[in-house]
């Protein structure tokens, strides 16, 4: 059992809706000298709780955590009020990280997801949970939707059910529906199963939880090594399977990597990269509108919702993208090094870039660029042959040889 200090900070979860504390904390609340919580929770504190000071949680959390630490160090009895289970997408995690596990005692209550699952008869042990609270992108939801059938989404007033429905539809998600649970455990409680088209412009209570359910599996499973003919592509403009596998291996994609696939063609590299960067972000950048449309259709058929298609010229279309950890050039280098220079400048220190080249001029231009900038790099020539039927037997039909160039961006040197 973990040892606790003599004056820990107590974190009390209030039941969603009714905002009642769990049994056995009445004396603890009555002895509280400092009470911390959101304004809604402070207003719902039991009458036995008469603190010397209340600290409302509003704005950045770091100053409030510092204040809690100061009050505890001064010997004050500090109680923090939280929603449901404070360690389930709640304040408890930040308090433990800030004060240390030995200095925090958590008194959990029912969490919102437990109540929501009970209302709709849904076993919640296989539900993926994501939070959009305070976020300006929906990456966690898209990543979860690619791998799970049901996702519970914690929202905020800016990222509510209507905004979620709009974001899913704009990404191309059609085989899904929403269950919106509002005011759980409180007057006006409501659960609605909605098509995303219907949820787009409906009003909802700010107190809500959204369950996103896939209504059909993807046409093609998301995995490494998807056969070339499964992808919609134009005039064989696809990074073929053997070369694609080599490029992905050399990229060394980690689960949280931000990946750029530049000159993406049909998006095959970006789509399979999203299977590896499950907690990151993946951008498929393509100049031609027709090919960009093919990327979106391939994303839909494979359910690779993490992939964001960007249609435009390079490097102009890259300016608004987050800095990458990994960059892949399957095309789009053009006749100069503008796009390559921009990608290398934006690549994070220690990141890796992989370039596939067929033409000798492209190989020499990329090689000279990395030499000039003192990057560690390597070159592999890959030529694959594929079995093909001929005269009742089989032959090996050679594919074009490809130069695979990898390079690592040097980390900044510490000052002497």
């Amino acid at each position: 059992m973990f040892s606790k200090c003599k004056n820990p900070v107590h974190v009390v979860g209030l039941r969603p809706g009714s905002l009642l504390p769990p049994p056995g904390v009445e004396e603890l609340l009555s002895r509280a000298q400092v009470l911390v919580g959101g304004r809604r929770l402070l207003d719902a504190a039991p009458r036995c709780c008469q603190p010397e000071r209340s600290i409302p949680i509003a704005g950045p959390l770091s100053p409030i955590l510092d204040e809690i630490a100061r009050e505890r160090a001064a010997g004050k009895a500090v109680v923090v009020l939280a929603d449901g289970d404070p360690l389930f997408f709640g304040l408890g995690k930040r308090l433990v990280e800030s004060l240390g596990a030995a200095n925090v005692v958590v008194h959990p209550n029912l969490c919102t997801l437990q109540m929501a699952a009970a209302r709709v008869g849904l076993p919640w042990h296989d539900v993926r949970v994501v939070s959009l609270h305070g976020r300006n992108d929906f990456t966690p939801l898209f990543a979860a939707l690619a791998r799970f059938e049901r996702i519970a989404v914690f929202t905020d007033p800016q990222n509510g059910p209507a905004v979620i429905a709009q974001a899913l539809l704009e990404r191309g998600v059609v085989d899904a529906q929403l269950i919106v649970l509002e005011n759980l455990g409180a007057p006006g409680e409501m659960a609605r199963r909605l098509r995303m088209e219907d949820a787009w412009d409906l009003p909802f209570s700010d107190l809500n939880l959204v369950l996103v359910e896939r209504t059909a599996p993807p046409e093609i499973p998301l995995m490494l090594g998807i056969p070339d003919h499964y992808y919609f592509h134009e005039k064989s403009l696809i990074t073929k399977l053997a070369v694609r596998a080599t490029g992905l291996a050399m990229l060394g994609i980690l689960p949280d990597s931000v990946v750029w696939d530049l000159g993406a063609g049909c998006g095959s590299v970006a789509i399979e990269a999203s299977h590896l960067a499950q907690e990151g972000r993946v951008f498929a950048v393509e100049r031609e509108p027709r090919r960009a449309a093919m990327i979106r259709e391939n994303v839909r058929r494979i359910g690779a919702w993490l992939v964001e298609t960007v249609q435009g010229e390079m490097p102009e279309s890259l300016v608004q993208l987050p800095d990458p950890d990994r960059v892949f050039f399957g095309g789009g280098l053009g006749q100069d090094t503008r796009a390559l220079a921009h990608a290398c400048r934006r690549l994070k220190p220690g990141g890796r870039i992989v370039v596939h080249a067929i033409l000798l001029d492209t190989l020499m231009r990329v090689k000279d660029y990395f030499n000039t900038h003192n990057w560690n790099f390597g070159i592999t020539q890959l030529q694959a042959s594929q079995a093909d039927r001929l005269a009742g037997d089989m032959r090996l039909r050679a594919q074009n040889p490809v130069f695979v160039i990898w390079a690592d961006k040097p980390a900044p040197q510490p000052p002497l």
Side-chain angles (χ1 to χ4, degrees), residues 49-65:
C49 192
Q50 299 292 329
E52 300 171 5
R53 182 188 179 197
S54 293
I55 303 176
I57 297 177
L61 193 55
S62 294
I64 296 169
L65 294 173

mmCIF file of all heavy atoms in Angstrom, residues 49-65:
data_model
loop_
_atom_site.group_PDB
_atom_site.id
_atom_site.type_symbol
_atom_site.label_atom_id
_atom_site.label_comp_id
_atom_site.label_asym_id
_atom_site.label_seq_id
_atom_site.Cartn_x
_atom_site.Cartn_y
_atom_site.Cartn_z
ATOM 1 N N CYS A 49 -19.934 21.951 4.560
ATOM 2 C CA CYS A 49 -18.639 22.437 4.099
ATOM 3 C C CYS A 49 -18.612 23.958 4.218
ATOM 4 O O CYS A 49 -19.301 24.660 3.476
ATOM 5 C CB CYS A 49 -18.409 21.986 2.659
ATOM 6 S SG CYS A 49 -16.717 22.235 2.091
ATOM 7 N N GLN A 50 -17.830 24.466 5.172
ATOM 8 C CA GLN A 50 -17.722 25.916 5.403
ATOM 9 C C GLN A 50 -16.256 26.304 5.414
ATOM 10 O O GLN A 50 -15.664 26.582 6.462
ATOM 11 C CB GLN A 50 -18.396 26.284 6.744
ATOM 12 C CG GLN A 50 -19.865 25.965 6.829
ATOM 13 C CD GLN A 50 -20.695 26.844 5.896
ATOM 14 O OE1 GLN A 50 -20.334 27.992 5.636
ATOM 15 N NE2 GLN A 50 -21.804 26.307 5.400
ATOM 16 N N PRO A 51 -15.602 26.358 4.263
ATOM 17 C CA PRO A 51 -14.163 26.609 4.225
ATOM 18 C C PRO A 51 -13.825 28.061 4.536
ATOM 19 O O PRO A 51 -14.649 28.956 4.406
ATOM 20 C CB PRO A 51 -13.788 26.259 2.788
ATOM 21 C CG PRO A 51 -15.026 26.553 2.006
ATOM 22 C CD PRO A 51 -16.176 26.174 2.902
ATOM 23 N N GLU A 52 -12.577 28.262 4.948
ATOM 24 C CA GLU A 52 -12.080 29.621 5.134
ATOM 25 C C GLU A 52 -11.903 30.317 3.785
ATOM 26 O O GLU A 52 -12.028 31.536 3.679
ATOM 27 C CB GLU A 52 -10.725 29.592 5.865
ATOM 28 C CG GLU A 52 -10.786 28.948 7.243
ATOM 29 C CD GLU A 52 -9.391 28.737 7.825
ATOM 30 O OE1 GLU A 52 -8.402 29.186 7.179
ATOM 31 O OE2 GLU A 52 -9.295 28.120 8.899
ATOM 32 N N ARG A 53 -11.603 29.516 2.771
ATOM 33 C CA ARG A 53 -11.310 30.090 1.456
ATOM 34 C C ARG A 53 -11.753 29.138 0.358
ATOM 35 O O ARG A 53 -11.623 27.909 0.495
ATOM 36 C CB ARG A 53 -9.808 30.348 1.326
ATOM 37 C CG ARG A 53 -9.413 30.995 0.001
ATOM 38 C CD ARG A 53 -7.908 31.058 -0.170
ATOM 39 N NE ARG A 53 -7.562 31.652 -1.453
ATOM 40 C CZ ARG A 53 -6.375 31.547 -2.030
ATOM 41 N NH1 ARG A 53 -5.387 30.886 -1.412
ATOM 42 N NH2 ARG A 53 -6.146 32.104 -3.208
ATOM 43 N N SER A 54 -12.329 29.689 -0.696
ATOM 44 C CA SER A 54 -12.676 28.908 -1.875
ATOM 45 C C SER A 54 -11.832 29.392 -3.053
ATOM 46 O O SER A 54 -11.637 30.597 -3.237
ATOM 47 C CB SER A 54 -14.163 29.051 -2.214
ATOM 48 O OG SER A 54 -14.963 28.462 -1.215
ATOM 49 N N ILE A 55 -11.342 28.438 -3.845
ATOM 50 C CA ILE A 55 -10.542 28.750 -5.027
ATOM 51 C C ILE A 55 -11.268 28.211 -6.248
ATOM 52 O O ILE A 55 -11.306 26.992 -6.467
ATOM 53 C CB ILE A 55 -9.130 28.139 -4.949
ATOM 54 C CG1 ILE A 55 -8.396 28.616 -3.692
ATOM 55 C CG2 ILE A 55 -8.324 28.469 -6.210
ATOM 56 C CD1 ILE A 55 -7.025 27.982 -3.503
ATOM 57 N N PRO A 56 -11.889 29.075 -7.029
ATOM 58 C CA PRO A 56 -12.565 28.594 -8.241
ATOM 59 C C PRO A 56 -11.558 28.234 -9.332
ATOM 60 O O PRO A 56 -10.559 28.924 -9.507
ATOM 61 C CB PRO A 56 -13.448 29.777 -8.662
ATOM 62 C CG PRO A 56 -12.759 30.972 -8.092
ATOM 63 C CD PRO A 56 -12.055 30.526 -6.847
ATOM 64 N N ILE A 57 -11.846 27.139 -10.026
ATOM 65 C CA ILE A 57 -11.001 26.743 -11.156
ATOM 66 C C ILE A 57 -11.526 27.410 -12.405
ATOM 67 O O ILE A 57 -12.615 27.110 -12.889
ATOM 68 C CB ILE A 57 -10.994 25.208 -11.318
ATOM 69 C CG1 ILE A 57 -10.380 24.549 -10.081
ATOM 70 C CG2 ILE A 57 -10.220 24.804 -12.572
ATOM 71 C CD1 ILE A 57 -10.392 23.036 -10.125
ATOM 72 N N ALA A 58 -10.740 28.328 -12.914
ATOM 73 C CA ALA A 58 -11.096 29.038 -14.147
ATOM 74 C C ALA A 58 -9.799 29.490 -14.790
ATOM 75 O O ALA A 58 -8.894 29.975 -14.114
ATOM 76 C CB ALA A 58 -11.996 30.236 -13.842
ATOM 77 N N GLY A 59 -9.702 29.318 -16.081
ATOM 78 C CA GLY A 59 -8.486 29.711 -16.778
ATOM 79 C C GLY A 59 -7.408 28.649 -16.664
ATOM 80 O O GLY A 59 -7.683 27.485 -16.363
ATOM 81 N N PRO A 60 -6.142 29.032 -16.861
ATOM 82 C CA PRO A 60 -5.033 28.076 -16.817
ATOM 83 C C PRO A 60 -4.958 27.359 -15.476
ATOM 84 O O PRO A 60 -5.189 27.957 -14.415
ATOM 85 C CB PRO A 60 -3.801 28.951 -17.064
ATOM 86 C CG PRO A 60 -4.318 30.170 -17.753
ATOM 87 C CD PRO A 60 -5.696 30.389 -17.215
ATOM 88 N N LEU A 61 -4.614 26.087 -15.524
ATOM 89 C CA LEU A 61 -4.620 25.267 -14.315
ATOM 90 C C LEU A 61 -3.338 25.380 -13.511
ATOM 91 O O LEU A 61 -3.352 25.210 -12.285
ATOM 92 C CB LEU A 61 -4.863 23.809 -14.701
ATOM 93 C CG LEU A 61 -5.210 22.819 -13.583
ATOM 94 C CD1 LEU A 61 -6.413 23.294 -12.794
ATOM 95 C CD2 LEU A 61 -5.446 21.436 -14.160
ATOM 96 N N SER A 62 -2.221 25.698 -14.147
ATOM 97 C CA SER A 62 -0.932 25.698 -13.444
ATOM 98 C C SER A 62 -0.911 26.650 -12.240
ATOM 99 O O SER A 62 -0.442 26.254 -11.156
ATOM 100 C CB SER A 62 0.196 26.058 -14.419
ATOM 101 O OG SER A 62 0.341 25.055 -15.390
ATOM 102 N N PRO A 63 -1.394 27.892 -12.342
ATOM 103 C CA PRO A 63 -1.390 28.756 -11.155
ATOM 104 C C PRO A 63 -2.243 28.201 -10.016
ATOM 105 O O PRO A 63 -1.916 28.390 -8.840
ATOM 106 C CB PRO A 63 -1.961 30.079 -11.677
ATOM 107 C CG PRO A 63 -1.750 30.042 -13.156
ATOM 108 C CD PRO A 63 -1.875 28.610 -13.548
ATOM 109 N N ILE A 64 -3.335 27.524 -10.360
ATOM 110 C CA ILE A 64 -4.197 26.953 -9.322
ATOM 111 C C ILE A 64 -3.486 25.794 -8.633
ATOM 112 O O ILE A 64 -3.568 25.641 -7.401
ATOM 113 C CB ILE A 64 -5.533 26.515 -9.939
ATOM 114 C CG1 ILE A 64 -6.278 27.743 -10.472
ATOM 115 C CG2 ILE A 64 -6.396 25.764 -8.933
ATOM 116 C CD1 ILE A 64 -7.470 27.438 -11.328
ATOM 117 N N LEU A 65 -2.774 24.970 -9.390
ATOM 118 C CA LEU A 65 -2.007 23.883 -8.785
ATOM 119 C C LEU A 65 -0.941 24.437 -7.855
ATOM 120 O O LEU A 65 -0.698 23.879 -6.771
ATOM 121 C CB LEU A 65 -1.372 23.021 -9.883
ATOM 122 C CG LEU A 65 -2.331 22.239 -10.772
ATOM 123 C CD1 LEU A 65 -1.571 21.570 -11.916
ATOM 124 C CD2 LEU A 65 -3.092 21.187 -9.967
#
